[in-house]
Amino acid sequence: RCWGDDSSGQLGDGAVSTTGRATPVSVAGLAGVVALSAGDSHSCALLQDGTVRCWGRNASGQIGDGTTSAPRLQPTPVLGLSQVTAISAGNEFTCALRADGAVLCWGRNDGGQLGQGAISFTPQTTPKLVPGLSGVLTIAAGDRSACAVVASGGGGALRCWGDNAGGQIGDGTKGNQRPAPTPVALSGPAATAAVGGTTACAVLTGGCAVCFGQNGGAIGDGTTAERLLPAPVSGFACGLVLGQGCGGAA
């Protein structure tokens, strides 16, 4: 069931509504769904058999069916995907995590958000492997950037890529695009991550949270100063994590 804006068919009920849907409607033809992800104007579902269906806006190829055609008003198979364990839909791009720990992304790439090592203004209309990533545990797609938690040395290392206008890549810089996965300087292993517009956050294995990027209050550290490196979120410090400090928290 989906609800809200339906101007691009992102509710998957087979129609477009200029007024939106204020109550849940059934997504057409879906069964055996194990995970969902809603992006800016498209949505995707992961099925029990490891395949993915997407629907909604497709101007940048974010549906993954090999086209940049009109919106897909019903769930449409993503080409060439199998053994998928997680999905994340961003702003006109989508990423999927495969059972072997590889990540594939497709759609818009004007900020390097597909992780291919270069930006491109030509949409990628089918899934493409993100080079240099293996052993991935979780993925998160945001506005024009994405992150992955990678198994490393018994813990979780964080890699981010894409637009870096607000410092949301977490490598100590901003204003430059990072079209390939870039290490984020964490002082403890990550369990999961989330990516927004120009801010990203990670939860470390001890339960503490750190955020980085443009602030205005989004970092949660009691300030409005931008953070180009991970900063601890107030109230979520967890002391020592596997013998290391948590994002600088005591």
Side-chain angles (χ1 to χ4, degrees):
R1 305 287 189 275
C2 294
W3 56 95
D5 181 19
D6 197 24
S7 58
S8 295
Q10 59 264 55
L11 301 189
D13 63 347
V16 170
S17 171
T18 57
T19 59
R21 309 288 190 184
T23 56
V25 295
S26 295
V27 178
L30 274 185
V33 175
V34 296
L36 287 169
S37 184
D40 182 67
S41 55
H42 76 293
S43 306
C44 295
L46 171 61
L47 306 188
Q48 287 176 333
D49 63 2
T51 62
V52 176
R53 306 284 188 274
C54 295
W55 59 95
R57 182 175 168 83
N58 193 37
S60 295
Q62 60 264 50
I63 299 301
D65 66 349
T67 74
T68 54
S69 60
R72 298 303 192 190
L73 306 184
Q74 295 186 4
T76 302
V78 178
L79 296 178
L81 272 187
S82 62
Q83 297 183 325
V84 174
T85 59
I87 52 172
S88 188
N91 182 3
E92 299 197 20
F93 78 107
T94 316
C95 292
L97 172 60
R98 212 165 52 188
D100 61 0
V103 175
L104 302 94
C105 297
W106 60 97
R108 189 173 181 174
N109 193 36
D110 59 343
Q113 56 266 57
L114 301 189
Q116 296 300 311
I119 66 170
S120 172
F121 295 97
T122 300
Q124 174 66 39
T125 60
T126 56
K128 193 169 184 179
L129 278 169
V130 177
L133 277 183
S134 61
V136 174
L137 304 174
T138 67
I139 55 171
D143 184 48
R144 297 175 72 226
S145 57
C147 293
V149 176
V150 181
S152 176
L158 186 61
R159 304 284 186 270
C160 296
W161 61 92
D163 184 58
N164 194 32
Q168 65 265 41
I169 299 302
D171 66 347
T173 71
K174 75 168 188 175
N176 53 332
Q177 294 157 331
R178 298 297 192 191
T182 302
V184 179
L186 296 178
S187 56
T192 189
V195 183
T198 52
T199 307
C201 296
V203 175
L204 306 194
T205 55
C208 55
V210 296
C211 294
F212 43 96
Q214 200 167 37
N215 198 346
I219 301 298
D221 64 350
T223 78
T224 57
E226 66 183 5
R227 301 296 185 184
L228 305 185
L229 293 170
V233 178
S234 298
F236 289 93
C238 61
L240 298 181
V241 181
L242 298 181
Q244 299 178 357
C246 175

